[in-house]
Amino acid sequence: MDFDDQRAALVSAAHRLARRRLVIGTGGNLSIRVEDRVLVTPSGADLEQLTSDQLVVTDLDGAVVEDTRYTPTSELLLHLEIYRSTSAKAVAHAHPVASIAVANLVDELPAVHYTAALIGGAVRVAPHEIFGTQELTDAVTKALVEKTAALMRNHGSVAYGDSIETACERIELVEWLAEIYLRTAAVGAGAVLDQEQLVAVAIAAAQRGYSPISRR
C-alpha cells in the first residue's frame, strides 16, 4: 500500500501544529487511517522536525506492519479506539496552552461562540489519567460521544475528522474557543449558547453550506 500522499499530509500537519505553538518539544501526535492501516507519528518525535521516514504504519490492533526503527506514539491506544468508535479518518492530539488551562478549571468548555456548534457544541473535559493507558483512552472516548473534539485535564486536546487538516483545524478551533472563555472568565460570567441555539446554528450552517473548517 502506497502512503506517499498521506505521509506528506501528516508531516505538513505536524509542522503546522508546531509552527502555531500548539505543541512543544515531543508533545502531541497525529495519525491517518487508510482502510485497515494507520499511519502514525513515532514515540518521542519533535513534530517541528518530523520527517516522513519517521512515520510508523500499524494495523488496527496496533501491530507494526512495515519495517522501521521507530516505535509508534505512546498514545496509539487512543488513536486506535477513536477509529474504532467513530467515523474518523484522521486524529490529532496537541498540548495547546489555553486548552490545557481551561481543562484544569472546568468540566466542560461552554459554547462561547456559535462555531462551537460545528464541533458538537460544548467541549467535554476527560479526567486526568496517565498518558498511553487504557484508562485515558476510555475517558477520552467517553468525552468524544457525539463530539469531534475533547479536552484532557492536565494534558491537552484531541480532535478527529475526515482528513488530518480538518482534525488540526478542530484543535485550533478548540484553542480559540478556550482563549475566548479565559478572557471572558477573567472579567466575569459571560454569555454562552444553549443547545437550542446551537442546533439553530448547525441547521443554518448546513442550509448555507457554511463551515469555518476547511473541507478537503
Side-chain angles (χ1 to χ4, degrees):
M1 189 177 293
D2 187 351
F3 289 101
D4 287 350
D5 290 345
Q6 290 83 4
R7 286 180 183 275
L10 204 56
V11 168
S12 177
H15 293 174
R16 168 184 179 167
L17 292 184
R19 184 173 63 250
R20 299 186 182 185
R21 301 183 65 80
L22 299 176
V23 294
I24 184 170
T26 60
N29 36 78
L30 306 94
S31 69
I32 295 174
R33 178 179 179 175
V34 182
E35 298 177 1
D36 62 349
R37 295 289 184 260
V38 176
L39 184 68
V40 64
T41 52
S43 177
D46 183 335
L47 296 191
E48 187 174 16
Q49 305 296 327
L50 187 72
T51 57
S52 62
D53 64 292
Q54 294 176 293
L55 300 176
V56 183
V57 181
T58 78
D59 62 21
L60 292 174
D61 293 321
V64 176
V65 296
E66 289 190 3
D67 289 340
T68 178
R69 65 186 180 89
Y70 297 97
T71 58
T73 171
S74 60
E75 299 288 12
L76 181 61
L77 276 177
L78 175 59
H79 288 252
L80 295 178
E81 185 55 38
I82 291 173
Y83 290 126
R84 282 190 286 264
S85 61
T86 74
S87 61
K89 297 299 183 185
V91 176
H93 163 51
H95 296 170
V97 173
S99 295
I100 296 171
V102 168
N104 292 352
L105 291 170
V106 297
D107 293 328
E108 184 178 79
L109 170 60
V112 293
H113 188 270
Y114 72 84
T115 50
L118 305 176
I119 53 172
V123 182
R124 299 188 191 102
V125 178
H128 173 71
E129 299 288 353
I130 300 299
F131 66 90
T133 62
Q134 187 63 53
E135 289 79 8
L136 178 64
T137 295
D138 293 344
V140 174
T141 301
K142 183 177 179 180
L144 281 171
V145 172
E146 297 183 349
K147 310 282 184 177
T148 56
L151 292 167
M152 307 152 74
R153 180 155 293 143
N154 306 109
H155 190 155
S157 58
V158 63
Y160 69 85
D162 58 6
S163 71
I164 193 60
E165 293 87 1
T166 296
C168 288
E169 285 163 357
R170 287 173 172 160
I171 288 282
E172 292 167 0
L173 178 55
V174 172
E175 177 70 355
W176 184 70
L177 293 170
E179 290 181 2
I180 293 173
Y181 175 82
L182 291 173
R183 293 191 186 195
T184 304
V187 178
V192 298
L193 299 173
D194 61 27
Q195 188 61 29
E196 183 178 348
Q197 291 171 312
L198 291 171
V199 169
V201 169
I203 291 171
Q207 290 173 338
R208 302 174 191 179
Y210 167 78
S211 175
I213 305 295
S214 298
R215 292 173 179 155
R216 293 177 172 86

